[in-house]
Amino acid sequence: MKKILALVFGALLLAVPCWAEWTDAELEPNAEITATEMKAQLTEAATKTVYVREAESEDVTAYVDTEKIPSLAKQIALNMDEDQMTYIYTNDKKIYKKLASRFSYYSGRDYNFNGYRIMTGKEGGKYIDGREVFRLWVMKVERPKEVIVHGTYYPPTPPVVIDIWGWPWHHHHHYGPPHHHHHRR
């Protein structure tokens, strides 16, 4: 059994891409930038870069060349700090939808990230300086120690965080299809 595991692990190591061969004029993969720089980049041009920022923080991790990064959502989940409201920004709608569906998959399946589970929510798009920027939030919280057999464990809803950028994100919760009022004549 150990031999099989070693082989599988060896194959995984080979499959990991080499960062060095990727060149990007703007940023190194996983570059650290400021929130101000992120805002400038998000509004400047369409980009495949994904930005990860903790609430209230000026520091942002930028994931560049995201289409070449396998399982980006998993990498973000593993790299992010525990118990921190974390925002993910992109101006690419496809990437936004893909990340949102991955995180909600992890959340729904109660996926175990080193003893932590994922909570997430979509916030949609917002026009900033004429360009649509999409944002979702993710939080990594400790998994409950006791196993709940019947029913599901729901951690407390994270607090609404005031954004340091000063452009509030409005939450529109739509459950199910829009309600049309039919007037009977």
Side-chain angles (χ1 to χ4, degrees):
M1 186 66 195
K2 274 210 178 106
K3 188 178 247 177
I4 292 170
L5 282 176
L7 286 171
V8 170
F9 191 64
L12 284 176
L13 287 179
L14 289 175
V16 173
C18 176
W19 292 119
E21 67 195 30
W22 296 354
T23 52
D24 191 286
E26 293 300 308
L27 294 166
E28 289 299 302
N30 303 2
E32 297 297 325
I33 60 170
T34 67
T36 311
E37 287 172 311
M38 165 176 83
K39 188 175 182 183
Q41 288 173 17
L42 278 169
T43 54
E44 201 176 300
T47 171
K48 300 275 185 219
T49 303
V50 168
Y51 302 88
V52 180
R53 176 178 76 87
E54 279 180 14
E56 305 298 321
S57 170
E58 262 297 322
D59 303 323
V60 175
T61 303
Y63 289 85
V64 185
D65 251 348
T66 49
E67 64 268 34
K68 292 184 189 169
I69 301 176
S71 58
L72 177 65
K74 188 177 280 184
Q75 273 204 38
I76 292 171
L78 289 168
N79 291 341
M80 62 188 264
D81 290 336
E82 297 84 13
D83 302 316
Q84 284 292 336
M85 175 61 100
T86 303
Y87 292 113
I88 299 172
Y89 301 82
T90 175
N91 63 21
D92 186 303
K93 194 171 194 170
K94 268 210 214 69
I95 292 175
Y96 168 73
K97 284 184 160 168
K98 190 176 164 189
L99 284 175
S101 80
R102 285 314 292 162
F103 281 117
S104 68
Y105 172 85
Y106 293 147
S107 172
R109 297 291 162 100
D110 202 23
Y111 208 91
N112 188 346
F113 286 98
N114 303 334
Y116 288 83
R117 65 187 295 273
I118 291 294
M119 294 167 62
T120 188
K122 289 194 290 198
E123 294 185 297
K126 180 182 172 125
Y127 281 91
I128 300 153
D129 299 343
R131 189 175 293 280
E132 196 172 15
V133 174
F134 302 92
R135 182 169 99 165
L136 58 122
W137 65 264
V138 182
M139 214 171 169
K140 193 158 70 170
V141 294
E142 210 166 339
R143 295 166 64 82
K145 293 281 176 274
E146 69 282 1
V147 177
I148 296 166
V149 181
H150 300 291
T152 316
Y153 170 76
Y154 289 104
T157 308
V160 172
V161 179
I162 305 303
D163 199 292
I164 56 161
W165 284 6
W167 29 277
W169 221 274
H170 299 291
H171 298 264
H172 299 292
H173 295 288
H174 296 294
Y175 297 104
H179 299 291
H180 298 292
H181 299 288
H182 298 288
H183 298 289
R184 292 194 175 151
R185 290 177 191 279

